[in-house]
Amino acid sequence: MVGSRLSFSLCLVLNLSVTAFSSLEFSRYDFPTDFIFGAGTSAYQVEGAAFQDGRTPSTWDTFAHAGHAHGATGDIACDEYHKYKEDVKLMVETGLDAYRFSISWSRLIPNGRGPVNPKGLEYYNNLINELIKHGIEPHVTLFHVDLPQVLEDEYEGWLSQRIVKDFTEFADVCFREFGDRVLYWSTINEGNIFALGGYDIGITPPQRCSAPFGNCPKGNSPSEPYIAGHHILLAHASVTQLYREKYQDIQQGFIGTNVFAFWFVPLTNKTEDIIATQRAHDFFLGWFVHVLVFGDYPDIVKKRAGTRIPSFSEEESKQVKGSFDFIGINHYTSLHIKNNPMKLNMDHRDFDADVAVDLIAIIDDTAPDEFPVLPWGLQQLLEYFKQVYGNPPIYIHENGQRTKRNTTLNDTEGNGSNAKGYFTWSFLDVLELLDGYGSSFGLYYVDLDDPDLKRYPKLSAHWYSGFLKGENVSSDGAIGIEKNKTPVSSARSIQ
């Protein structure tokens, strides 16, 4: 199995032109001329400067400083706050079309609402300008699991509908200040995983859950994931409406949201496993995407969640339906699904089944921990979006192979979709969500023992750079002779 250098290369086919190959040579010229290739990070995972220039703590800071990120914190991280020019230079050398990053709400608006922090505003203006000066398109995510702690303390953040107004006002500042240069906006990163990780099993900020499904100081696993998820969708729809009514015609940009997407496969061809697999699709992906496309939750989700899942009013349903110009997906691996009647009918949460039971407990326990990248899974996932959700414009926002953090720099191991772009995760070896600095996905190794946090390109960076510069590459990692073709140019249309 090819690792992070080529996990990505195998997935690049995206059901656009090739469905299977072994050592077939290909290059970026085999893709549409408006197809965007980039790499991504997020604010807390890469910026550092956590207590500098007016930034206040986010729920990520609180979570990490409580020791839940394997003792690691983002206090310094990769220090992109101070080293952004150096990193943009590396992006240019790599040949990226675009860079996906997020804005720290607590850096830009330290109190969650109200006055804008001049230093935070200056930083993001500088980063955006540096990217554009070097021909790199900024793709901005507004929220990446880092709510200002002050709002969590005031009204429990995403559990309150008050978040919709505050998030919309934060987005308004971002559109007003940066929208003349930023054309691609994602509202919330992995809304489905954020709701599950933060409110069901408590392994991510704000670490809320209840026994026996997790060990958290507070929370309610039966209901809170649905409540938080509902408010995430309403906040996304509100921000989209704001952008479309106030900014889009002037700025000519695009707005969407982002979900995490496994590809689920029945463990056997038994009817019960096939039904369980569809249930997993509906609970995990349809929970959000079905709402965005059709204006309401899937029937099976409403049936099993019952009164624990909020209902959309007629007005809310109209607002959320179609509230995207594109959908971003983060995909890493595929999982087998086996029906489990005992867990499906358990009543520990005072109902027949819920998100965790329908999604987590019935996933085949033999699924590998390392999440191997399986190209056919991404291909079939894109086909599912095409057949079930009307083939919306898709950006693959995250995809990559997890490897153990090391200094070898050798990061290798053993159909018509409306895909518009591909961003490898991640550009640098960042603070990872689940295990701190214990693993890495980056194209560039960051030496944490070096006071200057020096960056070193891995083999994956060399491979990606060769591919982006038009050299022929193959699935075994070999780089051939550059094709004599005109370089592609990124278009600003996703239709």
Side-chain angles (χ1 to χ4, degrees):
M1 179 69 189
V2 183
S4 65
R5 181 186 68 194
L6 292 178
S7 62
F8 135 99
S9 75
L10 291 173
C11 290
L12 284 177
V13 291
L14 303 179
N15 200 28
L16 289 170
S17 56
V18 183
T19 57
F21 55 86
S22 55
S23 61
L24 178 67
E25 289 189 339
F26 61 100
S27 80
R28 69 174 301 162
Y29 301 124
D30 295 308
F31 291 81
T33 57
D34 62 348
F35 194 90
I36 293 173
F37 288 98
T41 62
S42 80
Y44 187 74
Q45 293 176 275
V46 74
E47 285 181 2
F51 307 107
Q52 295 183 26
D53 293 342
R55 182 186 180 277
T56 59
S58 73
T59 51
W60 239 123
D61 293 276
T62 303
F63 181 81
H65 277 268
H68 300 306
H70 291 253
T73 74
D75 292 359
I76 299 175
C78 301
D79 198 26
E80 190 165 86
Y81 186 78
H82 296 107
K83 298 171 74 69
Y84 69 91
K85 288 188 177 181
E86 176 182 334
D87 288 342
V88 172
K89 183 179 178 181
L90 291 178
M91 295 175 204
V92 174
E93 293 175 357
T94 305
L96 299 186
D97 296 329
Y99 179 50
R100 178 177 177 251
F101 63 95
S102 71
I103 291 176
S104 168
W105 188 343
S106 59
R107 188 183 299 283
L108 189 63
I109 306 178
N111 294 323
R113 69 174 76 88
V116 174
N117 175 20
K119 287 291 187 179
L121 183 63
E122 180 183 17
Y123 169 68
Y124 290 112
N125 271 322
N126 287 343
L127 173 60
I128 291 166
N129 290 341
E130 190 74 9
L131 289 167
I132 291 175
K133 183 171 72 174
H134 290 88
I136 297 172
E137 189 90 58
H139 284 233
V140 174
T141 300
L142 292 171
F143 179 80
H144 198 118
V145 201
D146 54 352
L147 182 72
Q149 185 63 45
V150 64
L151 299 184
E152 184 71 26
D153 294 340
E154 182 180 344
Y155 55 74
E156 295 186 324
W158 294 95
L159 291 178
S160 169
Q161 194 154 347
R162 291 172 63 184
I163 193 68
V164 175
K165 182 176 184 293
D166 285 341
F167 184 61
T168 304
E169 291 179 354
F170 163 60
D172 196 7
V173 172
C174 294
F175 297 150
R176 183 183 72 231
E177 298 294 341
F178 312 127
D180 58 328
R181 289 151 292 156
V182 174
L183 298 177
Y184 297 90
W185 297 96
S186 298
T187 54
I188 296 159
N189 186 73
E190 295 182 348
N192 52 348
I193 282 290
F194 173 55
L196 285 172
Y199 297 89
D200 184 32
I201 52 179
I203 61 172
T204 61
Q207 200 200 10
R208 297 181 65 97
C209 63
S210 58
F213 307 100
N215 182 21
C216 302
K218 54 187 174 181
N220 187 321
S221 296
S223 60
E224 286 189 359
Y226 293 117
I227 296 170
H230 195 73
H231 294 150
I232 289 169
L233 287 162
L234 291 178
H236 158 75
S238 174
V239 168
T240 300
Q241 183 177 32
L242 167 73
Y243 185 71
R244 287 177 170 174
E245 292 179 352
K246 188 175 179 180
Y247 294 101
Q248 194 166 41
D249 286 346
I250 299 170
Q251 298 177 352
Q252 295 295 297
F254 308 96
I255 190 165
T257 194
N258 172 282
V259 293
F260 188 96
F262 287 115
W263 178 244
F264 295 120
V265 182
L267 184 63
T268 73
N269 60 1
K270 294 180 180 178
T271 301
E272 55 264 35
D273 286 351
I274 294 172
I275 293 173
T277 300
Q278 184 57 53
R279 185 168 62 245
H281 284 311
D282 287 336
F283 265 89
F284 196 83
L285 193 60
W287 178 25
F288 274 64
V289 180
H290 195 279
V291 176
L292 296 172
V293 175
F294 302 111
D296 200 3
Y297 297 111
D299 288 341
I300 187 65
V301 174
K302 292 191 292 184
K303 177 181 178 181
R304 292 195 175 278
T307 58
R308 292 171 298 104
I309 192 167
S311 299
F312 292 106
S313 67
E314 184 176 348
E315 181 180 352
E316 289 170 342
S317 178
K318 289 179 180 179
Q319 185 183 38
V320 75
K321 181 179 180 180
S323 59
F324 63 91
D325 299 322
F326 64 86
I327 295 175
I329 60 173
N330 296 353
H331 172 77
Y332 289 90
T333 195
S334 302
L335 297 174
H336 287 101
I337 298 295
K338 184 181 188 305
N339 186 52
N340 190 327
M342 181 180 300
K343 291 184 178 179
L344 187 61
N345 293 319
M346 64 193 296
D347 59 359
H348 295 299
R349 307 185 197 184
D350 301 323
F351 58 94
D352 291 335
D354 74 356
V355 174
V357 175
D358 279 331
L359 293 177
I360 297 171
I362 62 175
I363 292 174
D364 179 24
D365 291 336
T366 64
D369 293 334
E370 292 301 316
F371 291 157
V373 175
L374 304 171
W376 55 264
L378 177 56
Q379 178 187 328
Q380 293 185 28
L381 175 64
L382 292 171
E383 181 68 18
Y384 188 83
F385 269 89
K386 178 182 176 181
Q387 298 296 333
V388 177
Y389 298 125
N391 205 20
I394 295 288
Y395 284 92
I396 298 159
H397 274 161
E398 292 185 23
N399 177 243
Q401 175 69 53
R402 176 185 179 187
T403 60
K404 184 177 180 181
R405 186 179 180 89
N406 60 66
T407 61
T408 66
L409 306 183
N410 185 344
D411 53 339
T412 59
E413 297 187 12
N415 54 30
S417 167
N418 197 7
K420 293 295 184 180
Y422 177 96
F423 293 76
T424 184
W425 182 268
S426 55
F427 181 63
L428 302 171
D429 280 349
V430 301
L431 171 73
E432 285 299 335
L433 186 69
L434 297 180
D435 63 353
Y437 297 109
S439 66
S440 65
F441 289 81
L443 297 173
Y444 288 85
Y445 169 77
V446 179
D447 187 353
L448 299 179
D449 296 322
D450 183 341
D452 196 41
L453 298 174
K454 188 171 177 60
R455 282 85 155 119
Y456 297 90
K458 302 181 189 178
L459 289 181
S460 55
H462 292 297
W463 188 96
Y464 200 17
S465 180
F467 170 83
L468 294 176
K469 293 173 182 176
E471 297 170 345
N472 287 348
V473 296
S474 65
S475 61
D476 60 8
I479 299 178
I481 301 174
E482 183 174 349
K483 287 186 177 181
N484 184 21
K485 291 187 178 180
T486 303
V488 297
S489 60
S490 298
R492 296 195 172 189
S493 171
I494 60 173
Q495 301 306 314

